[in-house]
Amino acid sequence: MLAGNNFEHFDFNLYDDKRIDSFTGKTARQNIIETVDYCKTFIKEFHTTYRNLLFYGETGVGKTFLTNCIAKELLEKSYSVLYLSAIDFSTILADVTFNSKNLSAESKAVSSHIYECDLLIIDDLGTEVTNSIKSSNLFNCLDKRLSNKKSTIISTNLTPKKISEIYSDRIFSRIIGSYTCFKIFGEDIRKKQRL
C-alpha cells in the first residue's frame, strides 16, 4: 500500500483552490498544502520533538492517504509504526481485557506494540462500536502513550464536537489538549478520480 500512498504521489490538484471553507477561511488546496508542510516537519523533527496529530474531515478527503505518507517516511527512517483501524484497535484491546489467557503470540505482540511503538496510527476513529470498556481501553492507551511521549496519529470522520459527544470527557480532553488538530476538507477524492 505504501508504494502508492506516499508524498511522491500526493496530488494537490485534487483539492479545490476556489471554494473557501467557512471554518478555516482557506481553500481546500491551501489547507492541504499547509497540512502536508506540517506533516513533513513532524517527520523531520520526529526524533527530537514529541507531537500527536488528529486528522478529521469527511469521507474520501485524503486522511488515510496522509497517515500512510507519514508512516512510509518514518518506516524508512527505521522507526516502528503500527497502523490499526479503530475497529481492529478496539478488538485487540478488548481481547486483552477479556481473553488474556488465550491470546495468540501474535495478538500478545501486537497488544504490547500498541503501547511501545514509536508511532501508533488509529484510522477511522468512530467506526468501532463503543462501550464503557472500549472507551476505557482507548483512554488508557492514549494516556499511557502521552505519559511515555510516544506519538499517536488519529484520523476520523468525526468533528471534535462529535468526539466529545461519543467519547468520555477524559478522552476528549486528552485529544484536544495534546494533539495538533487538522480539518481536512474538499471533494471525495475517490469519486473525483473515478469521474
Side-chain angles (χ1 to χ4, degrees), residues 21-40:
D21 180 70
S22 61
F23 179 77
T24 63
K26 300 172 187 171
T27 67
R29 190 173 302 164
Q30 288 171 318
N31 182 67
I32 199 65
I33 288 169
E34 290 176 14
T35 302
V36 167
D37 284 346
Y38 187 93
C39 291
K40 288 181 177 180

Side-chain angles (χ1 to χ4, degrees), residues 99-128:
N99 198 22
S100 61
K101 292 180 182 177
N102 298 320
L103 284 180
S104 68
E106 181 183 357
S107 293
K108 287 179 185 175
V110 170
S111 66
S112 68
H113 203 55
I114 285 173
Y115 298 100
E116 297 165 8
C117 63
D118 297 317
L119 176 64
L120 173 64
I121 297 171
I122 304 172
D123 191 32
D124 271 340
L125 186 73
T127 56
E128 78 284 9

Side-chain angles (χ1 to χ4, degrees), residues 2 5-7 35-36 38-40 42-43 46 53 55 63-77 81 119 121 153:
L2 298 183
N5 287 212
N6 56 62
F7 287 121
T35 302
V36 167
Y38 187 93
C39 291
K40 288 181 177 180
F42 173 86
I43 294 161
F46 191 80
L53 306 175
F55 299 124
K63 300 180 303 293
T64 299
F65 190 95
L66 190 54
T67 61
N68 288 341
C69 291
I70 295 168
K72 180 182 188 302
E73 295 287 325
L74 290 177
L75 285 167
E76 287 180 352
K77 294 176 182 282
V81 178
L119 176 64
I121 297 171
I153 298 175

Side-chain angles (χ1 to χ4, degrees), residues 152-172:
T152 305
I153 298 175
I154 298 172
S155 74
T156 182
N157 293 350
L158 303 173
T159 62
K161 184 177 188 302
K162 272 287 186 197
I163 293 171
S164 72
E165 292 169 4
I166 294 172
Y167 298 95
S168 70
D169 289 339
R170 296 185 316 160
I171 291 171
F172 180 69

Side-chain angles (χ1 to χ4, degrees), residues 84-100 103 107-108 110-111 114-115 122 125 127-131 133-135 137-138:
L84 292 169
S85 70
I87 294 170
D88 290 340
F89 171 81
S90 64
T91 300
I92 290 166
L93 292 183
D95 282 349
V96 169
T97 302
F98 295 112
N99 198 22
S100 61
L103 284 180
S107 293
K108 287 179 185 175
V110 170
S111 66
I114 285 173
Y115 298 100
I122 304 172
L125 186 73
T127 56
E128 78 284 9
V129 175
T130 56
N131 58 39
I133 299 292
K134 289 181 179 180
S135 287
N137 286 339
L138 175 61

